[in-house]
Amino acid sequence: MGEIKDRFKAETDIVGAEIKQLLKEHGTKKIGEVQLSQVYQGMRGITGLVSETSLLDANDGIRFRGYSIPELQVKLPKSEGGSEPLPEGLFLLMLIGGLPTSDEVQNLTSVWQRRSHVPNHVFATIEALPIATHPMTQFVIAIMALQTESQFSRKYAGGLNKKDYWEATFDDAMDLIARLPRVAAYIYRRKYKNGEHIQPNGLLDWAGNFAHMLGYEDEGFMELMRLYMTIHADHEGGNVSAHATHLVGSALSDPYLSFAAGMNGLAGPLHGLANQEVIKWIFEMREELKTELPTKEQITEYVKKTLSEGKVVPGYGHAVLRKTDPRFTAQMEFGKKHMPEDPLVQTVWNVYEAVPPILKSLGKVKNPWPNVDAHSGALLVHYGMVEYDFYTVLFGVSRSLGVLASLCWDRALSFPLERPKSITTDLVKKWLKGEEEIWGE
Ligand code: NMX
Ligand code: MLT
């Protein structure tokens, strides 16, 4: 653990010094102009954040410290006999910056195992909720219950020197990531498996142990979890869960409070909840059409019906991407390798052929291609995880890796409170008439 922390500190010191110099020399350089429409329309295209862990290209998709998903599938360490990357490796890459060795990854697995204890009051808090409570709500409440363990919060209350914020943040991030699989598995087993809980297996990696605690021992499912936890981990800094975590963290709210905020954002249907919406939509389509494998023509009609009801087609479109999401492609490759004959998986592929031309024909959808959520559910159903309300929790466990690594960087680089300026339409009207100025012009 000490070694990871020391390497992180050394790396952030170097980058921190570079940023200082860079701002000294180029701090007044403009990187874009803001149009009025962008202010009203979700700040699309406004560059306003720094997030060191990953970068999204509209056409190429996500790169983690410069590496694409197919590259990481080759270069990151795997479990013995496995072929999918271990998410521990991705975390080290995002946190420190270089490709880790197998020994480093194994060491992190052990560190997280040692830090994975979840206090009883967290389970008691979950138990106090009605069983019908959505798993994402249970997840967020459990994270809030875990906040009693925050070292940052305790140390800050005791008078923490600014220069030590990063270390308490780092310790909280490690503890929280280590504990999340146990919390998530507890919610799953409580809600769907009669409360028959499964103890952790200390011989397994972080994602493998998560699969085990969920109750899935199939090696195929464990491999899926390794891939799933890797590809959902980060999507640069502007997506709702990453941005919310960063924003709340900028108030020096501790990592538990900040991550819970991010997870509340992930629980929205336009963000992470889309993974449950996709499979629900496909199940409803199959039910209505009374077939396991609808034809492309039938899918086309069903998509048109969805749109005519004023709904979005879940799993399609993106605020930044303008091509098929490489995370969709990685899952499609997994499906081709492990379950090419599965009718649900084939349906996902048929939907992929049917939807883009229809969305294109609307003329307003900027990206008609599938995102990560269009595929994930069908792979999970294949291994028997049919409880789709739970899917966003899986996304959330994975997302902790990126947003908490980023939060460590935020504190190490001493990023300030985030506080953009807002305006009113009344001010805009006066500004357009030349009667008032907009601050910052
Ligand atoms: N189905 C129907 N209409 C769509 C879709 C879609 N999949 N995607 C975009 N549009 C509409 C959008 O609602 C908007 O319509 P209007 O002007 O009537 O309000 C118009 O197209 C322009 O939107 P865009 O600029 O293309 O998309 P935006 O950046 O605003 O939103 C999403 C991005 C992801 C919110 C949007 O594409 C969407 O709602 N997709 C479906 C939900 C989904 O899959 N979300 C998961 C995203 C990935 N994740 O995990 O977070
Ligand atoms: C994500 O993974 O966060 C989503 O693709 C949404 C986004 O990037 O805006």
Side-chain angles (χ1 to χ4, degrees):
M1 174 64 187
E3 197 200 322
I4 304 173
K5 199 187 255 184
D6 291 347
R7 286 178 56 203
F8 171 72
K9 176 75 173 107
E11 191 59 32
T12 56
D13 281 349
I14 295 169
V15 176
E18 281 170 359
I19 294 173
K20 214 169 165 188
Q21 187 59 25
L22 196 141
L23 290 181
K24 200 170 154 199
E25 285 174 27
H26 307 287
T28 55
K29 207 168 157 78
K30 292 191 175 153
I31 56 172
E33 285 185 352
V34 178
Q35 292 170 6
L36 185 57
S37 59
Q38 291 173 292
V39 175
Y40 274 94
Q41 289 163 357
M43 298 195 278
R44 290 295 181 287
I46 299 178
T47 301
L49 290 173
V50 173
S51 180
E52 305 288 359
T53 47
S54 67
L55 184 66
L56 183 61
D57 179 273
N59 294 308
D60 281 358
I62 194 69
R63 279 182 183 267
F64 303 88
R65 300 273 185 186
Y67 294 101
S68 68
I69 287 173
E71 283 165 353
L72 290 180
Q73 284 178 293
V74 174
K75 290 178 194 270
L76 281 180
K78 328 255 179 309
S79 71
E80 215 180 302
S83 54
E84 298 301 341
L86 288 167
E88 287 91 328
L90 178 72
F91 178 76
L92 288 173
L93 176 68
M94 290 190 291
L95 187 75
I96 300 170
L99 282 172
T101 63
S102 288
D103 282 352
E104 287 165 348
V105 162
Q106 267 176 30
N107 172 46
L108 181 58
T109 302
S110 313
V111 167
W112 283 349
Q113 272 165 4
R114 285 199 298 277
R115 298 172 84 118
S116 63
H117 173 72
V118 176
N120 279 338
H121 75 268
V122 175
F123 299 128
T125 304
I126 298 170
E127 290 294 343
L129 297 168
I131 197 97
T133 309
H134 192 281
M136 273 308 275
T137 310
Q138 297 195 37
F139 189 51
V140 172
I141 289 171
I143 295 161
M144 292 305 296
L146 260 179
Q147 192 264 347
T148 50
E149 309 309 293
S150 171
Q151 303 194 38
F152 183 94
S153 164
R154 197 170 44 251
K155 287 183 176 161
Y156 192 89
L160 189 59
N161 190 310
K162 272 182 176 192
K163 70 176 175 42
D164 297 326
Y165 289 170
W166 74 270
E167 190 168 7
T169 302
F170 183 99
D171 285 329
D172 275 356
M174 287 293 201
D175 286 345
L176 183 49
I177 292 169
R179 289 164 165 157
L180 286 173
R182 179 97 167 95
V183 169
Y186 191 93
I187 293 166
Y188 181 74
R189 302 291 304 179
R190 170 184 186 243
K191 189 168 168 73
Y192 306 110
K193 305 290 172 186
N194 302 316
E196 289 159 15
H197 298 292
I198 300 171
Q199 290 306 308
N201 178 347
L203 299 175
L204 289 167
D205 53 281
W206 184 73
N209 184 40
F210 185 26
H212 158 76
M213 288 188 290
L214 288 165
Y216 296 85
E217 301 297 346
D218 188 306
E219 189 47 38
F221 187 85
M222 290 198 180
E223 279 288 270
L224 175 61
M225 271 306 100
R226 290 169 189 132
L227 175 67
Y228 189 114
M229 292 294 133
T230 299
I231 65 178
H232 286 79
D234 209 30
H235 220 226
E236 72 171 30
N239 69 74
V240 173
S241 49
H243 190 187
T245 306
H246 166 82
L247 169 68
V248 173
S250 84
L252 294 188
S253 305
D254 64 58
Y256 293 84
L257 299 169
S258 308
F259 181 62
M263 290 302 97
N264 277 310
L266 193 74
L270 295 189
H271 192 19
L273 203 82
N275 61 7
Q276 80 163 48
E277 296 299 298
V278 167
I279 215 70
K280 183 166 165 248
W281 180 83
I282 294 180
F283 281 162
E284 283 167 2
M285 170 170 68
R286 298 206 306 186
E287 175 100 10
E288 191 167 314
L289 300 172
K290 305 209 179 334
T291 171
E292 247 204 342
L293 194 57
T295 62
K296 273 172 234 155
E297 292 68 33
Q298 285 176 309
I299 295 171
T300 299
E301 286 316 304
Y302 195 78
V303 170
K304 287 183 180 163
K305 179 173 166 278
T306 301
L307 293 170
S308 72
E309 289 165 354
K311 299 175 188 164
V312 294
V313 180
Y316 282 76
H318 201 274
V320 179
L321 274 169
R322 294 296 175 256
K323 288 274 169 63
T324 295
D325 190 334
R327 300 173 297 177
F328 176 91
T329 312
Q331 296 179 89
M332 189 158 84
E333 294 305 323
F334 188 94
K336 283 183 190 160
K337 183 171 163 193
H338 295 275
M339 60 204 72
E341 304 302 333
D342 184 306
L344 188 62
V345 171
Q346 288 186 354
T347 300
V348 165
W349 300 341
N350 290 338
V351 170
Y352 180 29
E353 286 188 29
V355 170
I358 305 172
L359 291 184
K360 271 186 206 167
S361 73
L362 298 180
K364 65 173 183 179
V365 181
K366 297 199 186 61
N367 176 38
W369 303 106
N371 58 57
V372 66
D373 298 316
H375 210 309
S376 49
L379 302 179
L380 295 166
V381 171
H382 176 84
Y383 291 106
M385 186 181 266
V386 294
E387 302 90 354
Y388 53 71
D389 277 9
F390 187 75
Y391 292 173
T392 311
V393 177
L394 297 177
F395 194 157
V397 173
S398 167
R399 189 47 59 101
S400 69
L401 302 177
V403 301
L404 290 173
S406 241
L407 198 64
C408 292
W409 273 88
D410 292 350
R411 294 290 74 77
L413 297 176
S414 302
F415 281 169
L417 180 85
E418 185 178 307
R419 178 40 171 109
K421 181 81 184 78
S422 75
I423 49 176
T424 62
T425 300
D426 189 45
L427 176 64
V428 170
K429 288 194 286 190
K430 289 180 178 146
W431 169 69
L432 288 171
K433 286 188 211 152
E435 293 168 6
E436 298 257 7
E437 283 190 2
I438 289 186
W439 183 85
E441 253 186 293

